[in-house]
Amino acid sequence: MIVVLAGGVGAARFLQGLVQVVPQEEITVITNTGDDRVFYGLNVSPDTDIVMYTLAGLVDEKNGWGIRGDTFHTMKQLTSYGHEDWFALGDRDLATHIHRTARLREGKTLSEVADELRAHFGLKLRILPMSDQPVATHIQTPAGLFHFEEYMVQRRCSDEVQDVVFVGAKEAKPAPGVLEALKTADAILLAPSNPIVSIGSILAVPGIHDALHETSGMIVAVSPIVGGAPIKGPADKLMRGLHMDVSAVGVARHYRDFLDVMVIDTRDAHLAEAIEDLGIPTSVTNTIMSDSQAKAELARHVLRAAGLDNW
């Protein structure tokens, strides 16, 4: 069993490569729910949905989120009533959130609903939200404390980052199956997701970080930082705000206490020695997932780095 800790776009693209190499039945994805929030009275799970839409072949590839070819008639009507439109949800996407919200109100858990949606989209891998309890990632700035979606989408990451707070994390529990998957995995792969607010929120749930120390499987991370900058998203601004080195070395240092192998891009080959000085073996390859073949080749490389040569 291969377990992947996943954020949004970067993780979804990495998974597109992994499912070309490994049968879906052998993959468990643990998704970040720290970005989850109620919009227009509906429970929205951005990262979980990005993973599902992408693997189902539905995602809007240009944006990396939402459903390709979606319309926005409902949003236009909502704004006519005076609602803000900074978090735009397409009509078909809204159907997902209406379904999720209805099922939650009927007593289903977040992970149960995720499994229903996974099956609906014809996916055979397991998708486990990190927790069934609400955990909300907030960004502390000089202007105040903002939910991550507010900070990123509405405020466009314009504020200085002073701290990152995972509200509710201490009270949360890993969703059913999460700890078991981690402890029994043949390999645990940290997708090239934001190490602070995507992977970081997963690690903030009590028990998950400890499980990484207890697993017998190799833990391999793919750096989302290439050439001193993220491929997508505000990881650099968050890392800089937390006084971290914005580089593959900074990512490796962040994961240092549990990481077995670090995979970095060829453009950062000169950083391999510095990462290995941290006691982390380092593997260098092309990590830019420019097309389907590149995604599959990266997945194969990461699996080999985890000691799994049979794929």
Side-chain angles (χ1 to χ4, degrees):
M1 181 63 68
I2 310 299
V3 174
V4 181
L5 303 191
V9 177
R13 290 175 178 167
F14 176 74
L15 286 163
Q16 283 181 308
L18 190 63
V19 298
Q20 294 182 61
V21 180
V22 178
Q24 287 197 26
E25 294 87 347
E26 309 253 346
I27 301 170
T28 295
V29 184
I30 299 172
T31 57
N32 162 43
T33 61
D35 295 3
D36 288 19
R37 184 176 160 167
V38 173
F39 290 97
Y40 317 112
L42 302 175
N43 294 79
V44 179
S45 294
D47 283 4
T48 302
D49 291 345
I50 286 171
V51 166
M52 288 193 294
Y53 291 161
T54 301
L55 295 179
L58 298 173
V59 79
D60 182 333
E61 292 281 0
K62 181 180 178 181
N63 291 322
W65 51 266
I67 295 177
R68 183 177 57 253
D70 213 344
T71 54
F72 291 84
H73 301 299
T74 305
M75 285 299 308
K76 290 178 182 177
Q77 191 66 26
L78 281 169
T79 56
S80 77
Y81 298 144
H83 291 274
E84 295 182 331
D85 62 353
W86 60 267
F87 199 84
L89 298 168
D91 297 322
R92 293 172 64 196
D93 191 22
L94 277 163
T96 300
H97 312 316
I98 292 169
H99 173 76
R100 176 183 292 113
T101 304
R103 296 296 276 158
L104 290 172
R105 288 176 181 169
E106 290 167 4
K108 293 291 184 180
T109 64
L110 192 63
S111 53
E112 287 173 333
V113 179
D115 192 57
E116 289 179 355
L117 288 167
R118 171 207 61 78
H120 172 81
F121 289 122
L123 303 176
K124 297 179 181 179
L125 44 65
R126 295 175 76 200
I127 296 179
L128 302 176
M130 66 190 198
S131 178
D132 283 334
Q133 289 78 47
V135 177
T137 300
H138 282 68
I139 310 300
Q140 183 66 58
T141 76
L145 187 68
F146 300 102
H147 188 281
F148 178 67
E149 295 293 354
E150 256 184 297
Y151 171 79
M152 184 175 72
V153 182
Q154 184 181 36
R155 302 180 72 83
R156 301 181 183 276
C157 306
S158 60
D159 303 283
E160 174 194 350
V161 176
Q162 297 175 321
D163 199 6
V164 177
V165 183
F166 301 109
V167 178
K170 291 181 180 178
E171 295 75 36
K173 297 178 181 178
V178 166
L179 295 184
E180 179 187 6
L182 291 171
K183 292 176 182 179
T184 60
D186 294 309
I188 298 170
L189 313 180
L190 277 63
S193 300
N194 191 311
I196 309 302
V197 296
S198 293
I199 305 300
S201 66
I202 298 173
L203 299 178
V205 178
I208 291 181
H209 191 275
D210 290 343
L212 295 179
H213 287 277
E214 297 168 12
T215 186
S216 59
M218 292 280 284
I219 304 175
V220 181
V222 182
S223 176
I225 304 295
V226 176
I231 299 301
K232 188 177 179 66
D236 52 345
K237 189 155 190 175
L238 292 162
M239 292 174 74
R240 198 172 294 115
L242 298 179
H243 309 292
M244 295 169 59
D245 180 20
V246 183
S247 70
V249 180
V251 177
R253 191 175 289 117
H254 188 60
Y255 297 149
R256 181 181 185 178
D257 70 301
F258 57 76
L259 192 62
D260 292 312
V261 181
M262 186 77 188
V263 175
I264 65 175
D265 190 73
T266 50
R267 280 182 272 181
D268 291 324
H270 62 286
L271 299 177
E273 184 177 353
I275 296 172
E276 291 185 340
D277 285 345
L278 298 173
I280 303 170
T282 305
S283 184
V284 180
T285 191
N286 171 41
T287 65
I288 307 302
M289 297 176 285
S290 55
D291 55 32
S292 180
Q293 182 179 348
K295 292 170 185 175
E297 288 175 354
L298 176 59
R300 288 191 185 94
H301 186 95
V302 172
L303 290 169
R304 287 195 296 269
L308 301 178
D309 298 320
N310 55 324
W311 298 111

